[in-house]
Amino acid sequence: MPELPEVETTRRGLAPHVEGQRITQVQVFEPRLRWPVDPGLAQVLTGLTVARLERRAKYLLFRLGAGALMVHLGMSGSLQLKHPPFERLRHDHILLTLGSGAVLVFNDPRRFGSLHWLGSAPEDHRLLAHLGPEPLSSAFDGAYLAAQAKSRSAPVKAFLMDGSVVVGVGNIYATEALFLAGIHPRRPARRISAARYDRLAAEVKTVLTQAIAAGGTTLRDFVDGSGRPGYFQQTLHAYGRAGHPCPRCATPLRGERLAQRATVFCPRCQR
DNA sequence: ACTGGCTCCTGAGGGC
DNA sequence: TGCCCTCAGGAGCCAG
């Protein structure tokens, strides 16, 4: 399920193959995604050239002139570069043919992903305007987290996964960062010291950086721009390991539901 | 200003 | 073998 490392892995893999390329054909086979695909998308994109492929939060931004094509992979989406002839697979919803002859294929079984055309000032779009800082930027640190947490009674895990606080930290990496920082996921956000937030911010950066280096986490269906899976799942300490011994103290890890999400933690190490 | 719950969707996996 | 049920989850949205 794509979180920030998976989206960044996709961006890095695709960028050299799409930047500078003209979009020569757009085929929409299934417009019913998280948001309905604009019926005019094919018309507006055709003929434009991709200047740069960027990422903001978990959104990919294909910069095209003054505008941008914004793509979200949802939780089962992938963008792959394919070379004709190839067989269109089930759930291949949208195909973008490039001047090079390669085809960018958007596949998404659960259709939680989306494509938007942002005609001008992309960062002002309602889906981007209220996002928090990037977790790997200098704007994100313990002091920032502590300040944000001041009036928050919600569990720290929900706080950490709130995109208006910090972007890109989904269930897997929130679970891992809290484990590494030794913080109980249910602890109210405002009841955590500044020193512990320093540690948490550092662990978020560490786990995301390592996951990017490993090509992301593939639990079921994530593949990068070339169809390759990630292998960070081999490094997970807590996520998906409920009932197994804690890697640190061997106490059985506990699995619970928190804010509609599967949550795993060590009842002894995490306070 | 926050918080928690609901919603979209398909496929995997377990039980029988 | 096959069917049915449950679960998984990103994140926008809404009611309280």
Side-chain angles (χ1 to χ4, degrees), chain A residues 43-269:
Chain A
Q43 171 108 42
V44 73
L45 289 183
T46 304
L48 296 180
T49 296
V50 179
R52 292 190 54 80
L53 177 54
E54 300 174 353
R55 178 187 59 73
R56 172 70 175 114
K58 297 177 190 171
Y59 292 101
L60 288 166
L61 292 171
F62 293 79
R63 298 281 183 178
L64 301 146
L69 169 65
M70 180 170 75
V71 179
H72 198 293
L73 300 178
M75 63 166 288
S76 62
S78 66
L79 266 181
Q80 281 189 66
L81 199 70
K82 298 194 175 183
H83 301 274
F86 62 89
E87 186 185 355
R88 193 169 73 86
L89 303 176
R90 186 165 155 78
H91 308 305
D92 280 352
H93 303 316
I94 294 167
L95 270 56
L96 302 184
T97 304
L98 305 176
S100 62
V103 180
L104 203 51
V105 180
F106 176 81
N107 179 291
D108 187 5
R110 282 168 223 188
R111 309 213 311 268
F112 281 16
S114 62
L115 279 84
H116 283 90
W117 166 246
L118 314 184
S120 59
E123 25 288 304
D124 293 342
H125 189 270
R126 65 185 175 91
L127 296 176
L128 299 179
H130 305 290
L131 296 176
E134 290 287 328
L136 297 177
S137 72
S138 57
F140 177 74
D141 60 15
Y144 167 80
L145 272 183
Q148 289 292 308
K150 253 185 160 174
S151 58
R152 301 287 202 120
S153 61
V156 61
K157 179 160 178 262
F159 169 71
L160 195 56
M161 291 175 66
D162 182 340
S164 66
V165 173
V166 59
V167 300
V169 185
N171 198 32
I172 298 173
Y173 300 110
T175 297
E176 289 298 296
L178 288 167
F179 173 82
L180 293 168
I183 298 173
H184 196 293
R186 285 193 195 277
R187 176 170 285 274
R190 64 181 173 200
R191 301 267 182 252
I192 294 173
S193 70
R196 300 186 81 201
Y197 270 127
D198 285 341
R199 175 80 184 278
L200 180 59
E203 296 294 4
V204 167
K205 289 174 191 279
T206 299
V207 75
L208 291 177
T209 302
Q210 291 179 350
I212 291 170
T217 298
T218 297
L219 294 177
R220 185 163 302 157
D221 39 21
F222 171 71
V223 291
D224 70 9
S226 303
R228 285 183 292 261
Y231 54 93
F232 189 71
Q233 64 277 9
Q234 299 170 6
T235 311
L236 297 174
H237 297 82
Y239 183 87
R241 299 192 66 247
H244 290 82
C246 168
R248 208 174 263 150
C249 75
T251 300
L253 295 171
R254 189 172 296 167
E256 291 182 7
R257 244 181 130 67
L258 193 165
Q260 292 83 242
R261 292 291 176 279
T263 296
V264 184
F265 62 97
C266 174
R268 183 161 169 215
C269 296

Side-chain angles (χ1 to χ4, degrees), chain A residues 19-31:
Chain A
E19 290 180 350
Q21 291 293 322
R22 204 169 79 98
I23 297 172
T24 60
Q25 189 183 16
V26 178
Q27 296 165 282
V28 178
F29 294 97
E30 174 56 89

